[in-house]
Amino acid sequence: MIEFSRAALFLASAASVVLAAPAMAAERLTLTPAPVKAQALEGSFRLTAATRIHVAKGDVEAKGVAVQLSDLLHRARGVRQAVVEGEPAADEAAISLVRGGPDGEGYGLDVAPGGVKITAQKRAGLFYGAISLWQLAVQDEAKGPVDVPAAKVEDAPRFSWRGFMLDSARHYQSIDTIKLLIDGMAAHKLNTLHWHLVDDQAWRLEIRKYPKLTQVSAWRTPAGAAARDPKTGKPVRYGGFYSQDQVRDLVAYAAARNV
């Protein structure tokens, strides 16, 4: 299983340089990229295995984001929150995903001792609000319950295209490696993957009508001493390609993370 926290580190340097904008963020709130507005408040929200995540009945998209948030928190802290359809009880300290407020990829995040509310009109906004909550909950590598600092966050991206380019034509990456990259993009709220699959170095995409494109062009012999196996003396072939089913799987995986 790919660790989402590892993916967060994967793009930390690039994302902080490209996307961290001037913001009215309190010093003790650490969010990447810096949100449009962030205010640290008094107190904290106690996040435990007993904490539940609530969504409106029948809201499939919100429920999907809630499940993702529960999974992320479980991987990072070892505690998993149940996802429940319906509003929390008046005295329940819960996390709620609510429709309304900012449109597009924008969201509002309110963390208080009595509960957490993520508000957005679109799924993308709910997802990014969940990512910000996850970031606040994983400020260290400790396991178990955590006190999430109380805060009020309002955020929306400055740029509609927030991209990362992956050149698989020159150097082949495994599916797991690409999923790790997509996880890292999502952790930093990047939304566009430019996946370079074809160049004079190789052809990486399966085209069933023209099988030789991958049978021949997906492979090459390295230059110099690496061209032959030092033990056997046989030529070494470098490369690989992605089947159409693998590409469909990656597209769906990325879409679930707003990429």
Side-chain angles (χ1 to χ4, degrees), residues 13-257:
S13 177
S16 62
V17 171
V18 175
L19 292 179
M24 294 178 287
E27 289 184 2
R28 65 189 182 93
L29 293 178
T30 303
L31 293 170
T32 303
V36 175
K37 294 181 181 180
Q39 180 183 5
L41 304 175
E42 293 297 323
S44 60
F45 173 78
R46 185 66 171 172
L47 179 68
T48 71
T51 304
R52 303 198 300 177
I53 306 175
H54 288 258
V55 300
K57 291 183 178 179
D59 193 334
V60 177
E61 289 183 336
K63 186 174 182 179
V65 172
V67 171
Q68 287 176 301
L69 175 59
S70 178
D71 184 52
L72 291 175
L73 292 170
H74 177 253
R75 295 189 203 182
R77 305 210 64 94
V79 293
R80 186 182 296 279
Q81 292 69 41
V83 176
V84 181
E85 292 191 43
E87 295 184 1
D91 60 348
E92 182 182 0
I95 300 169
S96 300
L97 273 61
V98 180
R99 296 286 190 166
D103 198 3
E105 296 177 299
Y107 67 91
L109 172 62
D110 293 281
V111 182
V116 176
K117 181 180 290 187
I118 299 170
T119 307
Q121 291 191 33
K122 300 290 179 64
R123 183 194 183 281
L126 291 175
F127 180 76
Y128 285 150
I131 289 295
S132 288
L133 176 59
W134 167 78
Q135 288 183 355
L136 292 175
V138 295
Q139 298 294 304
D140 56 44
E141 297 183 0
K143 298 293 184 180
V146 60
D147 291 320
V148 181
K152 182 176 181 61
V153 178
E154 298 176 18
D155 195 19
R158 290 187 299 154
F159 305 106
S160 59
W161 180 294
R162 305 180 304 283
F164 188 94
M165 177 180 174
L166 176 65
D167 188 349
S168 296
R170 288 171 176 78
H171 297 287
Y172 176 82
Q173 298 89 22
S174 69
I175 295 295
D176 283 348
T177 296
I178 298 173
K179 287 184 175 181
L180 175 62
L181 172 67
I182 292 171
D183 282 346
M185 292 178 64
H188 293 85
K189 304 184 179 78
L190 300 179
N191 67 354
T192 303
L193 174 62
H194 177 169
W195 194 15
H196 191 57
L197 291 168
V198 177
D199 211 313
D200 63 335
Q201 300 293 310
W203 185 290
R204 302 290 185 209
L205 179 62
E206 177 190 37
I207 306 296
R208 292 171 182 164
K209 187 175 181 180
Y210 302 105
K212 284 192 174 181
L213 283 173
T214 48
Q215 290 174 2
V216 177
S217 301
W219 307 90
R220 68 174 184 263
T221 300
R228 293 187 176 276
D229 187 310
K231 294 182 179 179
T232 65
K234 294 182 179 180
V236 174
R237 289 213 311 166
Y238 169 80
F241 65 93
Y242 306 100
S243 70
Q244 292 185 15
D245 288 340
Q246 287 176 316
V247 173
R248 291 189 186 97
D249 175 65
L250 278 173
V251 169
Y253 187 90
R257 289 150 182 82

